Structure formats: structure tokens, C-alpha cells
Amino acid sequence: LMNKKLTIIVIGHNSWHFLQKNFFFFFFLKEEQDVEVLYVDNASTDETRVAVSYSYPNIKMICYPINRGVAAARNIGMVNAASEYIMFLDSDTEMNKEAYYEMMKFMDENPDVGVCGCKLYGQDGVAQNSCKKYPTRKSFLKSIARFLGKKIGLNLYPNAYIENNYDMEKLAPFDVDYVIGACQLIRKKAQTKVGFLDEKIFYGPEDADFCMRIKRAGYRVVYLPNVSISHAYIRPSTNKLFSKLTWKQICGMFYFFNKVDKYK
């Protein structure tokens, strides 16, 4: 039973410094009776839970005792969402009125679209590549080689970035392989058809996998470059190749590649 138009799902882990901004930017939704915000806390050990319940009592909160990753936290949010649409937002995003209403309007007018996303700008004012082509073994190994090369001053595979991404200068909405999970507006009907995010992927390509399944179910995935939101872009695994989280990301990638092989 759909009793809401939209459920916004935000997840976090010790993320109050981002969440207080993130939630503040929902002020324009105060008059929207059919929109709910659901926060899923992934085992925070700082003041996050107390601060959220005190500062934003209208936001529903679900607390996980252990950090089970992005997919598991978003899934529990989806289980609790009785709405026509679901919006995933990272804790370090800042939504705005223009982007919100344009994305909702686009989905209402295009029932064949299962997922859409908009342009994301970092704190440096640079547009991020928030829509991507599916990763492949070859592109992933090239990106690792590029990363390692930079560490020792080599510029390996300089075109790898361009090969893996779309032309970000387009002004009109266009179809893509996937939009990143930092900001996704999802049609609940499409999500119900394909199921939940794959919890075997702790951190990494769960967004690519989800969009691939949405497309396999006959829906489109579309990127809207004409509206944008802010995204601070926390990449906890960026600088350490052999951190625990990076290792989980690498495992997630190869799990995804094996899954894609089975689709063929």
C-alpha cells in the first residue's frame, strides 16, 4: 500500500557533521505531507544518533548495531518505504528545491524510467562523474594501474578516465549505464520488480549492479545534467590501496564481474 509519494533514505556512520547540513536542506519539504525522510544509522559510536533524534525529531531513525555496509542499510530503508518513489542520498549531499522538483517531475512524466540521477558538484565546484559506464575487469585493472602509477610519478593509461565515462557537457537528459548511489531517485514499481541491493557487495559497485538489473527488467536509467546538488564526496578508500575497506571494494568488484558473466 503506497501511502506516500516519496521516501528519502539517508544512511550514515559517525556522520553527524554531514547529516546536520544534509537534513537542514530538506526545509523546503516542510509543507509536503506525502514525503518522509528515513535515516538508517550504520552502527555510529559518536553523538550522531542522539543529535539526529534531538535536532530532527520528525525524521524516522533505524539503528543498526553493526556496520553491514551500504547495501544492507539502504535495503532496510527500502523495506520500510511505502511510497511511489525512493530517493537515496549520501550523508554528505545537500539537496535543493530546484533539483528535487525537476527530478520528481521527470519521473512522473517518464514512466519507463526506473532510476534517475542529477549532476553532483564537489566542494571545489567541480562537476563529478556521477553517471558512468559499467565497470569491466579491464577498466578496473587500468584504474588500479593509474592509481599505483601516480604514487611513483607515472601517468599510466591517461585516457582510462575518459573511456569509462560519459560526456558531461550535454545539457539535456540522456540514458546511461548507471548513476551513482550518492543520489538516485528510484521508481518503487521497478525496485519491486528487481528486488533489493545485493548485500554481498559491502562497498563498491552495488549501484552499478542495481541499475543493471533495473535495465534488464526493461526500465531506463537516465542522468539529468540540467539540475545539480552538492556532494562533499567522502571516499574512505581513496588513498590507501591496502586498507580493509579498499579490499572489500576490490572483492565487491570481482563479485560483480562474475555476476555480469552469468547474465551473458
Side-chain angles (χ1 to χ4, degrees), residues 8 26-27 51 57-58 81 107 125 127-128 138 155-156 165 170 194 205 211-212 224 234 244 263:
I8 299 172
F26 294 146
F27 66 87
N58 294 334
M107 292 295 274
Q128 299 163 356
K138 190 177 176 183
N155 186 19
L156 300 172
N165 297 296
K170 291 180 184 176
V194 303
C211 286
M212 182 178 277
L224 277 57
I234 325 164
K244 191 177 176 185
Y263 289 150

Side-chain angles (χ1 to χ4, degrees), residues 16-32:
W16 173 239
H17 54 299
F18 285 115
L19 290 168
Q20 55 187 320
K21 283 186 187 175
N22 178 303
F23 293 153
F24 172 76
F25 281 93
F26 294 146
F27 66 87
F28 64 87
L29 293 172
K30 271 193 175 150
E31 306 307 313
E32 300 279 355

Side-chain angles (χ1 to χ4, degrees), residues 94-109:
E94 295 167 15
M95 181 49 73
N96 62 71
K97 194 172 183 176
E98 183 193 10
Y100 170 81
Y101 285 110
E102 186 60 34
M103 289 171 77
M104 292 295 287
K105 179 170 172 268
F106 183 82
M107 292 295 274
D108 279 342
E109 291 174 356

Side-chain angles (χ1 to χ4, degrees), residues 144-204:
I144 290 176
R146 269 190 84 207
F147 177 86
L148 292 172
K150 274 185 183 174
K151 293 282 185 190
I152 55 171
L154 294 175
N155 186 19
L156 300 172
Y157 301 111
N159 295 320
Y161 183 86
I162 299 161
E163 288 166 21
N164 298 342
N165 297 296
Y166 291 93
D167 174 11
M168 303 296 283
E169 299 307 310
K170 291 180 184 176
L171 300 175
F174 57 94
D175 286 58
V176 294
D177 282 353
Y178 76 103
V179 288
I180 66 169
C183 176
Q184 288 181 340
L185 180 56
I186 301 157
R187 191 176 303 280
K188 182 74 158 105
K189 195 186 285 184
Q191 182 270 312
T192 305
K193 200 170 177 182
V194 303
F196 295 98
L197 296 171
D198 191 331
E199 294 185 15
K200 289 194 176 77
I201 304 171
F202 181 89
Y203 171 77

Side-chain angles (χ1 to χ4, degrees), residues 211-223:
C211 286
M212 182 178 277
R213 282 155 46 210
I214 289 282
K215 291 182 82 162
R216 284 172 60 82
Y219 288 92
R220 294 164 60 208
V221 175
V222 179
Y223 175 70

